[in-house]
Amino acid sequence: MDLHTALLFCATVLPLICTPGPDMLFVASQSLGGGAPAGLRATAGVCAGYVLHSLLAALGLAALVAASPLLFQALRWIGVAYLAWLAFKLLRSALRPGALEIQAAGRRDAFRRGFLTAALNPKGMMIYLAILPQFMRADAPAATQAISLSALFVSGCALIYAALSLILGRGARGGGGTPALGGRRRRWIDGVAGGLIVAAAGKLALS
């Protein structure tokens, strides 16, 4: 994999990682309820769930490329459509007022629940089944490419969610934690993420 492809992939999935969803909300709730250690345990569980997706994707995409390059290209365009749909939802959400509520949870079973949250997250499944093919070449080993891209995605999740755990965990210990993501901040996050995903979908569609 060349550096340009790796950077383009990171730029595409970073808004997805940063968009509040089941993974981020669970990590945030654990950090607020049990401090940074609980958030980090939840982060480890989430990353373990995505490692499972990585193994399944490496095997499945390799079989798909070997069976039908045409089907592989069809899956590629499904990924473009998914990005466009996700961008539309984010931009629509950015126009709506209101805060994003975060329900605090206990510290027990943080790793196990984080694993299940990621393993059963539809967004995670779509990233592996529809977005990874956008950055893979049909003339190169699919399994190796899938594992390399997956490693970048899991690493991004680990860095973002670990930083979130430390920030929210520190606020919770100091009494400054908040149970919600403020409306204005939430709208800015949704708007910026939606715009970045629109740009990524357009570039992928034209490439």
Side-chain angles (χ1 to χ4, degrees):
M1 184 191 311
D2 57 67
L3 180 61
H4 174 74
T5 300
L7 292 176
L8 182 59
F9 176 75
C10 291
T12 301
V13 299
L14 184 60
L16 299 177
I17 297 173
C18 295
T19 301
D23 300 334
M24 179 175 286
L25 291 180
F26 179 69
V27 171
S29 69
Q30 291 297 299
S31 301
L32 290 171
L40 292 174
R41 286 194 293 271
T43 296
V46 168
C47 292
Y50 282 128
V51 168
L52 175 62
H53 281 302
S54 302
L55 297 176
L56 295 177
L59 297 175
L61 290 175
L64 180 62
V65 172
S68 174
L70 182 61
L71 185 60
F72 182 83
Q73 289 299 319
L75 189 61
R76 178 176 180 272
W77 281 104
I78 291 174
V80 173
Y82 170 72
L83 286 177
W85 174 76
L86 183 59
F88 169 76
K89 288 186 61 179
L90 287 171
L91 293 175
R92 184 178 62 180
S93 175
L95 299 176
R96 295 178 177 175
L100 181 64
E101 295 296 329
I102 299 176
Q103 295 182 349
R107 296 177 58 182
R108 298 182 59 183
D109 299 327
F111 180 89
R112 178 181 61 84
R113 291 174 59 189
F115 173 81
L116 292 176
T117 298
L120 301 177
N121 185 0
K123 182 179 75 172
M125 296 178 186
M126 287 301 298
I127 287 174
Y128 282 99
L129 295 179
I131 296 180
L132 254 67
Q134 318 282 346
F135 301 91
M136 296 171 61
R137 296 179 5 225
D139 59 345
T144 302
Q145 294 180 83
I147 291 175
S148 299
L149 292 170
S150 298
L152 291 175
F153 175 71
V154 174
S155 298
C157 288
L159 290 174
I160 297 298
Y161 294 160
L164 180 68
S165 299
L166 295 175
I167 293 171
L168 294 182
R170 179 180 301 175
R173 287 197 305 272
T178 175
L181 183 62
R184 179 176 297 181
R185 184 176 299 177
R186 191 270 307 165
R187 293 174 68 183
W188 269 103
I189 292 175
D190 286 347
V192 172
L196 291 174
I197 293 174
V198 166
K203 183 173 182 59
L204 292 174
L206 297 175
S207 61

